[in-house]
């Protein structure tokens, strides 16, 4: 008797940030583009560098390296443009990455409670265990602003 | 057989804007939102000092009849390097006179794109959106975004406090006489 295990393979894009690799569900990726001019203007949202113009759209540039690696990247070769959900709305976000990206098929293990909020799951590839990123928690959005303002108010309320 | 009349392409909705600089940074404002443009020097005699706690961007107020216009330092509002503004925009339907470095030009925008939702802090009050002009991206300011209702309340309180002090000083002077 043979037992066949049906693997639920999904497509992921592997991206490189410094020495580490991360994965994002391929269904969220729009394109990988060469760095273009970043337009900067005053704002108060951390992690956002500015915006780039892409196919007539204005796309925010979000540097996630500090959150994932603990340091900012000095070299960047591409922008990975991915869709980020804001409730029912979807918008593009550009993330600077340091190397070329790779499309793979793999089975994802779901994240557990103890994992960081930005971890959607894990996958194994080339003998490496790779974090699958949850862009909705990794990149800023209205829910982050609400959480930050709640955190600011809590100590005041307690005092 | 008659052919259907060709559908006329409706002209793109355009809006006249003024491009201006604050601390070297380019911004845009709808020209219909600007009631007056004055040189900062011309206002220096008419403006009086005001100090509201925690609100460093407003140092002067202009009295016009029973109306007070608060002069907002654009550089401080946006957190840019402090600069002495040369021009004032009196913004229509607001109590704000915005101090800026200078006007770049007047132009027309054909498309205002909403500020991406990733921008989730005060800038959502500051800007109506972004527009792409000549291969550059310019934030279009919200005239009501320079002073929040809470800030206006603080300034009104500071103003009435200053008026009270002035009134008491005058009373003191006249009784001494």
């Amino acid at each position: 008797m043979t037992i066949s295990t049906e693997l639920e393979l999904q497509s992921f894009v592997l991206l490189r940030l410094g020495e580490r690799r991360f994965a994002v569900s391929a269904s969220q990726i729009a394109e990988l583009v060469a760095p273009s001019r970043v337009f900067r203007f005053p704002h108060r949202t951390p992690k956002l560098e500015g915006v780039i113009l892409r196919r007539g759209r204005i796309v925010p540039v979000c540097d996630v390296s500090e959150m994932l690696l603990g340091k900012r990247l000095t070299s960047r070769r591409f922008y990975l443009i991915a869709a980020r959900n804001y409730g029912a709305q979807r918008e593009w976000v550009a993330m600077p990455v340091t190397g070329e990206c790779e499309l793979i098929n793999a089975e994802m293990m779901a994240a557990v409670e103890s994992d960081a909020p930005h971890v959607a799951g894990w996958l194994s590839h080339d003998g490496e265990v790779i974090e699958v990123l949850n862009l909705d928690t990794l990149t800023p959005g209205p829910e982050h602003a609400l959480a930050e303002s709640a955190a600011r108010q809590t100590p005041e309320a307690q005092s | 057989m008659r052919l259907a009349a060709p559908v006329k392409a409706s002209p793109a909705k355009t809006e006249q804007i003024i491009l201006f600089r604050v601390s070297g940074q380019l911004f845009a404002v709808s020209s219909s939102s600007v009631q007056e443009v004055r040189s900062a020097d011309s206002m220096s005699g008419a403006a009086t000092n005001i100090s509201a706690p925690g609100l460093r961007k407003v140092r002067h107020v202009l009295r016009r009849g029973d109306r007070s216009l608060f002069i907002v330092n654009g550089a401080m509002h946006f957190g840019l390097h402090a600069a002495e503004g040369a021009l004032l925009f009196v913004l229509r339907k607001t109590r704000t006179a915005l101090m800026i470095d200078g006007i770049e030009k007047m132009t027309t925008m054909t498309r205002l794109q909403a500020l991406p939702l990733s921008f989730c802090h005060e800038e959502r009050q500051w800007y109506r959106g972004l527009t792409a002009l000549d291969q550059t991206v310019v934030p279009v300011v919200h005239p009501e975004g320079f002073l929040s209702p809470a800030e206006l309340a603080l300034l009104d309180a500071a103003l009435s406090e200053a008026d009270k002090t002035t009134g008491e000083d005058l009373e003191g002077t006249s009784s001494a006489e």
Side-chain angles (χ1 to χ4, degrees):
Chain A
M1 192 178 81
T2 56
I3 301 169
S4 65
T5 315
E6 209 173 285
L7 293 176
E8 281 191 38
L9 291 179
Q10 291 172 258
S11 295
F12 295 94
V13 170
L14 295 185
L15 57 106
R16 185 172 285 282
L17 287 172
E19 297 302 306
R20 284 187 65 187
R21 288 204 294 181
F22 298 90
V24 176
S25 171
S27 62
Q28 287 180 273
I29 303 299
E31 58 183 330
L32 184 68
V33 298
S36 53
R37 185 178 163 194
V38 178
F39 300 98
R40 293 179 169 85
F41 52 85
H43 66 83
R44 294 273 163 82
T45 306
K47 290 191 276 184
L48 284 188
E49 288 189 3
V51 295
I52 56 170
L53 266 175
R54 188 71 196 151
R55 298 172 196 258
R57 287 203 218 187
I58 294 170
V59 183
V61 177
C62 181
D63 190 351
V64 294
S65 61
E66 203 166 349
M67 190 164 171
L68 296 176
L69 307 174
K71 61 177 181 188
R72 291 199 71 174
L73 287 174
T74 47
S75 69
R76 50 181 63 178
R77 289 180 61 195
F78 299 100
Y79 287 127
L80 187 65
I81 300 183
R84 200 271 200 208
N85 298 306
Y86 301 88
Q89 254 177 282
R90 264 191 143 198
E91 284 187 6
W92 284 359
V93 176
M95 290 181 296
V97 294
T98 39
E100 287 194 22
C101 296
E102 187 185 343
L103 181 69
I104 62 157
N105 286 316
E107 189 187 18
M108 184 179 84
M109 286 179 294
V112 293
E113 253 181 55
S114 56
D115 288 329
H118 69 262
V119 179
W122 300 88
L123 55 86
S124 177
H125 179 73
D126 272 352
E128 208 181 328
V129 177
I130 296 169
E131 276 180 16
V132 180
L133 302 176
N134 178 354
L135 298 183
D136 298 355
T137 55
L138 186 64
T139 58
E143 64 286 345
H144 286 78
L146 284 174
E148 282 169 27
S149 88
R152 273 198 301 269
Q153 279 168 5
T154 309
E156 287 165 21
Q158 283 169 348
S159 62
Chain B
M1 193 180 86
R2 258 191 208 176
L3 289 173
V7 180
K8 277 185 188 167
S10 59
K13 215 176 172 185
T14 59
E15 189 175 333
Q16 276 271 313
I17 52 171
I18 302 173
L19 296 184
F20 63 97
R21 286 198 185 270
V22 173
S23 243
Q25 173 75 47
L26 198 60
F27 298 91
V29 64
S30 172
S31 54
S32 64
S33 304
V34 179
Q35 191 179 320
E36 282 175 50
V37 181
R38 293 287 188 97
S39 85
D41 291 344
S42 72
M43 292 292 194
S44 56
T48 53
N49 290 347
I50 186 171
S51 169
L55 204 58
R56 289 174 53 229
K57 65 183 176 184
V58 180
R59 288 284 167 88
H60 299 97
V61 60
L62 271 173
R63 305 283 188 122
R64 286 188 166 179
D66 56 353
R67 202 166 159 242
S68 309
L69 280 174
F70 299 109
I71 300 177
V72 176
N73 183 309
M76 283 182 135
H77 171 76
F78 290 116
L80 298 168
H81 292 294
E84 274 303 310
L87 285 182
L88 280 177
F89 278 166
V90 177
L91 299 175
R92 204 182 293 279
K93 292 181 186 164
T94 72
R95 296 173 66 194
T96 303
L98 177 67
M99 193 175 273
I100 63 163
D101 294 355
I103 292 175
E104 190 83 2
K105 64 173 178 179
M106 279 188 81
T107 186
T108 304
M109 71 171 173
T110 51
R111 190 176 170 218
L112 178 68
Q113 189 173 312
L115 194 65
L117 289 165
S118 299
F119 291 93
C120 54
H121 284 73
E122 287 108 308
E123 59 272 14
R124 298 211 74 79
Q125 273 79 55
W126 297 350
Y127 305 130
R128 287 171 58 203
L130 304 172
T131 191
L133 289 169
D134 305 329
Q135 291 303 303
T136 188
V137 176
V138 183
V140 181
V141 300
H142 207 298
E144 286 94 33
F146 291 97
L147 290 171
S148 68
E151 288 172 331
L152 282 169
L154 263 178
L155 288 165
D156 279 333
L159 206 56
S160 65
E161 189 61 36
D163 286 346
K164 220 168 92 182
T165 314
T166 315
E168 280 168 7
D169 286 351
L170 283 174
E171 265 178 40
T173 315
S174 56
S175 59
E177 280 170 3

